[in-house]
């Protein structure tokens, strides 16, 4: 099959059991494959959960809708933060976003039914599962906030220091540029200044620096560093001539940097940068591992919320005893409209009043009830496109 036609979108649907649930599955599978493989299908296993009263189910249906968007939000946040953390390796994000050890997206429908999740097996009613899932995902959300905050602080402090060590010669840190021997230090009368000289004006500097004020030490200027536009030069003069020198230098567009040579401070700056850089490297691996594990956990929780919604909605729509088949469809991009029509023809008898309204109002089967798509069959979308990084 041409995987390019595949969507990283899945439709989780359910229909009542015919004579058996297997028959419902076979009918759906035959209908979608007859028309040139409209979708890739698999059964979606949901255990027989205790039902409780209809009132409870109606209330739970609303709560699950809210839980669904909360969990989806957390899944997105973890995925996007993985993108932030991987920085220049954004192309590696996709291979780090795995659920249950399998890749998401075009090549593999996430096989995340209840059967292999021991942690969910302890609970036997849809109502009991709700707080269990909420608590787990809340924990991931809170942990993510704390970890992201700590890592972002570290990253921010490092970037500020890196910025100080880059940029133009007028503003950048000079700690890694100047050396002790560039200065006259500990002299009662003499002082060394650092001057940023635009390259275009360098000849003027050579010609005039000795005469910009009285008491400039002849031939005391050297070029210590250059960037694209300017040279950084030193010059030594008597302390009492400094103000005159600065004033006259400005007329020639020579900018005197406000700089005191202090070995201790410069050493501390370098050590701080090394410390932050080392800390960031140390935290990177464990953070990526945490994001991988918790992406998988959050995604699996999200699929279970969808499963609970299918279960509750199927009981509310199709009645008791519980008898429905849940199915996961991965549509082909180009034939989604056709797939919708096939499903509609297959299941319009399930809700004839809605079907009548749909027939009267639209060419694509689907009824928009307060922003929620409504079909005669139970339908929820799992959109893995939220995990695509360009």
């Amino acid at each position: 099959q041409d995987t390019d036609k595949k969507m990283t979108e899945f439709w989780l649907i359910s229909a009542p059991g015919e004579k058996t649930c297997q028959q419902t599955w076979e009918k759906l599978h035959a209908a979608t494959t007859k028309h040139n493989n409209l979708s890739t299908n698999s059964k979606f296993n949901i255990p027989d959960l205790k039902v409780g009263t209809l009132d409870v189910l109606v209330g739970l249906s609303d709560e699950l809708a809210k839980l669904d968007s909360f969990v989806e939000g957390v899944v997105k946040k973890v995925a996007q933060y993985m993108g932030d953390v991987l920085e220049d390796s954004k192309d590696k994000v996709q291979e780090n976003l795995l659920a249950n050890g399998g890749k998401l997206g075009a090549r593999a429908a996430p096989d995340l039914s209840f059967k292999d999740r021991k942690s969910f097996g302890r609970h036997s009613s849809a109502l009991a599962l709700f707080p269990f899932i909420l608590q787990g995902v809340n924990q991931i959300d809170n942990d993510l906030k704390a970890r992201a905050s700590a890592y972002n602080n570290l990253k921010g402090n490092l970037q500020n220091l890196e910025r100080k060590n880059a940029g133009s010669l007028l503003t950048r840190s000079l700690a890694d540029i100047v050396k002790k021997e560039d200065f006259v230090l500990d002299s009662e009368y003499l002082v060394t200044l650092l001057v940023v000289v635009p390259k275009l004006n360098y000849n003027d500097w050579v010609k005039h620096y000795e005469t910009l004020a009285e008491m400039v030490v002849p031939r005391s200027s050297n070029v210590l560093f250059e960037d694209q536009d300017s040279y950084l030069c030193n010059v030594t003069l008597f302390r009492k001539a400094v103000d005159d020198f600065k004033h006259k230098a400005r007329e020639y567009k020579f900018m005197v940097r406000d700089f005191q040579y202090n070995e201790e401070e410069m050493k501390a700056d370098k050590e701080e940068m090394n410390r932050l850089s080392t800390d960031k490297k140390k935290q990177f691996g464990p953070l990526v591992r945490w994001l991988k594990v918790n992406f998988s956990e959050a995604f699996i929780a999200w699929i279970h919320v969808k499963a609970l919604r299918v279960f509750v909605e199927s009981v509310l729509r199709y009645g008791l005893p519980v008898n429905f088949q849940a199915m996961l469809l991965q549509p082909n991009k180009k034939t989604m409209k056709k797939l919708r029509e096939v499903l509609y023809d297959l299941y319009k008898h399930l809700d004839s009043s809605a079907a009548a309204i749909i027939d009267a109002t639209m060419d694509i089967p689907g009824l928009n009830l307060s922003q929620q798509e409504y079909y005669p069959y139970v339908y929820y979308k799992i959109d893995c496109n939220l995990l695509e990084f360009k």
Side-chain angles (χ1 to χ4, degrees):
Q1 277 202 330
D2 184 357
T3 49
D4 291 342
K5 291 183 196 160
K6 281 280 187 296
M7 301 283 285
T8 42
E9 172 177 313
F10 301 91
W11 295 358
L12 186 51
I13 70 168
S14 88
E18 312 254 339
K19 285 197 181 78
T20 64
C21 287
Q22 178 62 18
Q23 226 173 336
T24 307
W25 158 251
E26 283 166 5
K27 206 167 168 184
L28 172 279
H29 197 54
T32 57
T33 46
K34 184 171 71 183
H35 299 272
N36 189 20
N37 286 349
L38 298 177
S39 58
T40 304
N41 313 319
S42 54
K43 282 184 185 175
F44 192 90
N45 297 305
I46 302 175
D48 292 334
L49 299 166
K50 284 184 192 159
V51 175
T53 66
L54 284 182
D55 279 357
V56 166
L57 285 187
V58 170
L60 187 57
S61 175
D62 292 341
E63 290 303 310
L64 282 170
K66 289 179 206 156
L67 183 61
D68 192 345
S69 42
F70 168 65
V71 179
E72 180 179 348
V74 173
V75 170
K76 276 184 182 168
K77 274 194 273 189
V78 177
Q80 274 149 8
Y81 196 61
M82 175 76 89
D84 290 349
V85 169
L86 289 177
E87 293 174 29
D88 301 333
S89 320
K90 273 208 170 40
D91 52 333
K92 299 244 168 39
V93 170
Q94 206 67 48
E95 68 193 53
N96 281 297
L97 298 180
L98 307 175
N100 230 18
K103 284 195 183 179
L104 305 177
R107 288 170 199 283
D111 174 24
L112 298 168
S113 37
F114 277 70
K115 66 180 185 317
D116 48 29
R117 302 293 297 163
K118 293 187 185 74
S119 51
F120 289 85
R122 295 197 300 267
H123 304 278
S124 52
S125 82
L127 194 60
L129 275 166
F130 181 91
F132 179 68
I133 294 174
L134 178 60
Q135 185 190 354
V137 179
N138 244 331
Q139 184 69 53
I140 292 173
D141 194 34
N142 291 331
D143 283 359
L144 177 65
K145 282 177 192 149
R147 284 164 188 269
S149 167
Y151 190 75
N152 290 351
N153 275 341
L154 190 57
K155 195 165 139 183
N157 292 338
L158 186 59
Q159 279 168 342
N160 287 339
L161 271 184
E162 281 166 351
R163 246 188 309 255
K164 268 172 74 180
N165 286 329
S168 94
L169 281 170
L170 290 169
T171 54
R172 64 168 286 172
S173 159
L174 302 176
D176 56 341
I177 290 175
V178 296
K179 302 181 193 66
K180 194 172 184 176
E181 52 267 28
D182 299 329
F183 296 83
V184 171
L185 298 169
D186 309 323
S187 161
E188 198 179 329
Y189 301 108
L190 292 173
V191 66
T192 301
L193 300 180
L194 294 181
V195 186
V196 178
V197 178
K199 285 187 172 174
L200 295 172
N201 306 58
Y202 181 66
N203 288 339
D204 288 343
W205 170 257
V206 173
K207 218 184 288 179
H208 298 298
Y209 81 87
E210 292 175 353
T211 57
L212 289 178
E214 291 178 355
M215 305 191 199
V216 175
V217 176
R219 292 193 295 284
S220 63
S221 177
N222 296 295
V223 172
L224 307 180
F225 189 79
E226 64 176 287
D227 65 11
Q228 229 173 332
D229 310 304
S230 312
Y231 293 109
L232 182 72
C233 304
N234 62 352
V235 59
T236 301
L237 61 157
F238 278 73
R239 285 181 190 277
K240 58 184 178 185
V242 166
D243 287 344
D244 269 358
F245 185 90
K246 282 183 178 175
H247 181 70
K248 203 72 194 287
R250 263 200 301 276
E251 291 173 19
Y252 282 96
K253 299 191 171 63
F254 309 144
M255 300 305 295
V256 177
R257 279 276 312 245
D258 188 17
F259 181 84
Q260 301 279 312
Y261 183 85
N262 182 324
E263 211 154 7
E264 292 309 305
E265 256 175 50
M266 282 161 43
K267 196 171 151 200
D269 267 7
K270 268 188 190 154
E271 281 169 2
E272 176 68 353
M273 187 133 172
N274 288 339
R275 186 184 67 76
L276 289 173
S277 184
T278 308
D279 276 4
K280 188 182 166 197
K281 283 189 192 117
K282 255 190 216 151
Q283 285 190 25
F284 177 81
L287 181 58
V288 169
R289 277 195 295 282
W290 185 90
L291 288 166
K292 278 169 85 159
V293 168
N294 287 279
F295 173 80
S296 177
E297 287 302 309
F299 190 86
I300 289 166
W302 187 37
I303 301 298
H304 284 89
V305 174
K306 296 284 189 197
L308 287 179
R309 292 188 78 184
V310 168
F311 178 83
V312 169
E313 193 65 20
S314 299
V315 173
L316 288 173
R317 283 216 213 171
Y318 309 144
L320 291 166
V322 175
N323 179 27
F324 66 87
Q325 178 63 54
M327 299 163 280
L328 190 69
L329 281 57
Q330 187 180 16
N332 278 332
K333 205 172 192 170
K334 291 179 178 153
T335 53
M336 286 173 96
K337 189 176 169 184
K338 179 69 183 158
L339 177 61
R340 252 327 153 203
E341 286 163 7
V342 167
L343 292 177
Y344 178 64
D345 287 339
L346 212 50
Y347 301 126
K348 64 183 171 192
H349 65 280
L350 296 175
D351 189 339
S352 48
S353 55
I357 302 170
I358 291 167
D359 282 339
T361 54
M362 292 180 186
D363 63 334
I364 299 184
L367 181 59
N368 209 346
L369 299 175
S370 68
Q371 311 317 127
Q372 183 76 46
E373 285 176 295
Y374 182 86
Y375 298 94
Y377 47 94
V378 171
Y379 159 79
Y380 293 104
K381 182 162 80 167
I382 302 167
D383 186 0
C384 296
N385 289 316
L386 58 87
L387 316 171
E388 294 291 334
F389 285 80
K390 296 292 173 270

